[in-house]
Amino acid sequence: MTTLYARELDHRALNEAIRGAGESVRITGCAGQRFIGAGMSGARIEIRGIPGNALGAYLNGAEITVEGNAQDAVGDTMNGGRIVVRGSIGDAAGYAMRGGEIFVRDNAGYRAGIHMKEYKEKIPVLVIGGRAGSFLGEYQAGGVIVVLGLHEDSRRIVGEFPCTGMHGGRMFLRGTCEGIAFPPQVTARAASREDTEAVRPYVETYAALFGKDARAILDAPFTVVTPDNANPYRRMYVEN
């Protein structure tokens, strides 16, 4: 594994160094450089420090692990691969994500998973271990969003206006989600046994990545949110 010290590098120089470092690279001293790993495939990148906005934007198969927090727009329009954040992330994670996986140990900011979409075998997955801010899954068109609510404070699992304009995909929220106001074009219901089996692989992967107990997480009830197929958003964005 090649080690790069990022403190004195801007984002262009850092990405050039990553591309020349071979298949496996560790970045130390990361101090807010943007676009790390953008568009990359076939690489494994470990980051010590805090990457800046658009980490893994347009990612096309590479694997990125952050040993700490990350800023806004993690996985912006990513197409494949995996991003693992051993901390919290900022706003707009997974914006327009169309493939691959993002696993966040702790919390996410506003507008996580907005405009997520899927096509045939490409099903993007966003798993948030703690809570998510307002506008979670806004205009979600496909893919899977999972929020586990493992945060230690008393704040709700999601902020205001979740699923606004949602017209595809699924959202799994751990808990009964009482008191959360969902928009009229979606259906929020208690998870069935089939739903629990559907979310199990994502929970098990999360638990394996972050040293959690998957069985204990799955013992809690889940709420499943799906769009109403009769809503006008689906007719606007999805071919019949």
Side-chain angles (χ1 to χ4, degrees), residues 23-210:
E23 294 184 357
S24 185
V25 58
R26 176 181 292 123
I27 300 170
T28 63
C30 190
Q33 289 92 341
R34 300 171 294 159
F35 308 117
I36 295 175
M40 292 188 184
S41 59
R44 298 182 64 183
I45 304 169
E46 295 181 10
I47 300 174
R48 309 280 175 89
I50 300 178
N53 290 357
L55 170 72
Y58 302 100
L59 199 70
N60 199 33
E63 296 183 15
I64 300 175
T65 300
V66 181
E67 299 293 339
N69 300 326
Q71 294 183 359
D72 297 343
V74 171
D76 183 349
T77 324
M78 71 181 285
N79 188 55
R82 176 181 287 183
I83 300 175
V84 176
V85 179
R86 300 184 185 281
S88 294
I89 54 176
D91 299 337
Y95 174 84
M97 185 180 177
R98 57 199 183 198
E101 302 171 328
I102 300 175
F103 288 89
V104 182
R105 187 190 66 189
D106 299 329
N107 305 316
Y110 296 153
R111 289 190 158 89
I114 69 171
H115 289 290
M116 280 177 62
K117 60 201 73 175
E118 65 184 71
Y119 181 70
K120 294 185 177 179
E121 77 282 356
K122 283 191 170 294
I123 301 175
V125 176
L126 171 61
V127 180
I128 299 163
R131 54 178 169 75
S134 297
F135 297 101
L136 174 70
E138 185 179 32
Y139 298 112
Q140 183 182 353
V144 178
I145 297 174
V146 181
V147 187
L148 298 176
L150 301 177
H151 54 293
E152 296 180 355
D153 59 44
S154 60
R155 296 175 66 178
R156 290 190 326 195
I157 190 170
V158 298
E160 302 297 333
F161 313 114
C163 310
T164 300
M166 180 184 187
H167 53 278
R170 291 178 295 170
M171 185 181 295
F172 295 90
L173 304 176
R174 186 168 173 265
T176 59
C177 296
E178 295 176 1
I180 296 176
F182 292 99
Q185 84 273 3
V186 304
T187 298
R189 56 176 174 78
S192 65
R193 179 176 298 179
E194 182 180 357
D195 295 321
T196 302
E197 289 306 307
V199 78
R200 181 182 299 278
Y202 311 124
V203 173
E204 290 179 341
T205 300
Y206 173 90
L209 287 169
F210 302 118

